[in-house]
Amino acid sequence: MANESRPCPCDIGDRFDYEGCGQEVEVEHIKAYVCKPAASTDKAVIVIHDIFGWQLPNTRYMADMLAANGYIAICPDFFAGREAWKPSDDWSKFDDWLKTRDARKINKEPVAMLKYLKEQCGAKKLGVVGFCWGGIAVHHLMMTYAEFKAGISLYGLIKDSDDTSNLLNPTFFIFADKDDFIPLHQVNLLEQKLKKNCKVDYEVKTYPGQTHGFVHCRRGDINPQDKPYIEEGRKDMISWLNRYI
């Protein structure tokens, strides 16, 4: 790392050696990775990448997992052609890089993806899943677009000032007990705000002994002690989508 004092939690983790089962498409100005299940379906999920971008094999693996469970899965380039972050980049410049990629202000890309999924894929029931940077984006989208009938935010950074409770549809928040960058007091504050003000179903779940990125950046064969929690997190994702989509 160019700067050991990293201002972001993201770590490439166990980079998956994975080719992917889907294909790349172009939707308006956005490139995207799409994977479809074997049987036809009207259920679709938008997968939002972390800072390492839409081409990261780990994220495509998660999209393929969703497709294997019966969902059309699409992982668009939410950076819209701008470079994703690389582990070798200078972390002292990360804040400036992030300012041009505000997860709380994405709107053109979700609108384009919703249109594509409805018109080109026949989707009628839609959900959204996001990891880290994408987890922040999910929180924003679930307060903005009623079309998303279910959302899953995985270890999305929380600001104490965030308006967190005006969710339009059921949302599941996944956190790690040993996440050095999302203190448990922030997770507790989120839960308190939701309990007080949220009018839709939600769940906040913290997985013991896990670190940031465990669901999509850890391999069970490399980290056998974490395998039960990796598998539990992925199973919980599917269960949430199945319940509400």
Side-chain angles (χ1 to χ4, degrees):
M1 295 293 179
N3 179 6
E4 292 297 328
S5 180
R6 297 186 302 136
C8 175
C10 286
D11 186 331
I12 207 76
D14 307 320
R15 188 183 179 103
F16 293 7
D17 182 15
Y18 186 72
E19 293 295 328
C21 301
Q23 61 180 348
E24 294 185 4
V25 299
E26 193 150 345
V27 182
E28 296 184 14
H29 64 292
I30 310 151
K31 292 183 177 179
Y33 173 80
V34 182
C35 191
K36 297 181 179 180
S40 62
T41 181
D42 62 357
K43 300 184 296 181
V45 176
I46 296 176
V47 180
I48 308 181
H49 54 75
D50 57 20
I51 63 169
F52 299 113
W54 71 293
Q55 294 177 309
L56 185 69
N58 304 39
T59 309
R60 295 191 174 193
Y61 178 87
M62 301 306 292
D64 290 357
M65 181 192 76
L66 294 171
N69 282 274
Y71 296 90
I72 301 164
I74 185 165
C75 180
D77 176 13
F78 274 89
F79 296 157
R82 291 166 295 175
E83 284 197 20
W85 189 258
K86 299 185 293 294
S88 59
D89 285 342
D90 183 352
W91 287 94
S92 68
K93 298 178 180 178
F94 179 77
D95 284 345
D96 289 335
W97 176 90
L98 191 62
K99 286 175 184 175
T100 62
R101 298 160 177 82
D102 190 340
R104 295 172 175 86
K105 293 182 179 178
I106 56 169
N107 289 299
K108 290 182 181 179
E109 292 78 17
V111 170
M113 291 306 126
L114 286 168
K115 182 179 179 183
Y116 171 81
L117 289 170
K118 291 174 183 177
E119 296 180 0
Q120 302 297 321
C121 302
K124 297 178 182 176
K125 304 168 186 174
L126 299 146
V128 61
V129 173
F131 305 90
C132 187
W133 185 92
I136 302 170
V138 166
H139 204 156
H140 160 67
L141 295 180
M142 292 306 293
M143 294 192 294
T144 310
Y145 297 94
E147 291 99 322
F148 293 115
K149 299 306 178 186
I152 304 174
S153 170
L154 294 96
Y155 24 86
L157 289 167
I158 311 164
K159 293 180 180 178
D160 289 347
S161 60
D162 279 351
D163 179 8
T164 56
S165 57
N166 294 325
L167 300 169
L168 300 176
N169 281 307
T171 307
F172 182 28
F173 297 90
I174 288 177
F175 294 103
D177 180 45
K178 301 296 183 183
D179 193 324
D180 291 335
F181 299 87
I182 305 179
L184 288 178
H185 78 81
Q186 288 188 342
V187 177
N188 293 334
L189 181 61
L190 168 68
E191 198 159 14
Q192 289 170 19
K193 287 181 178 180
L194 291 170
K195 187 174 183 180
K196 184 177 180 180
N197 299 313
C198 190
K199 294 178 173 59
V200 299
D201 287 351
Y202 69 88
E203 183 176 351
V204 178
K205 184 170 180 178
T206 303
Y207 295 72
Q210 297 309 294
T211 56
H212 192 92
F214 75 99
V215 174
H216 81 298
C217 285
R218 293 286 180 272
R219 283 173 49 181
D221 56 341
I222 295 176
N223 307 279
Q225 72 280 6
D226 299 322
K227 185 176 181 180
Y229 301 104
I230 297 168
E231 292 180 346
E232 182 181 355
R234 294 174 183 177
K235 182 180 177 181
D236 288 346
M237 285 173 55
I238 300 301
S239 296
W240 188 265
L241 294 172
N242 288 348
R243 190 183 313 168
Y244 294 105
I245 295 183

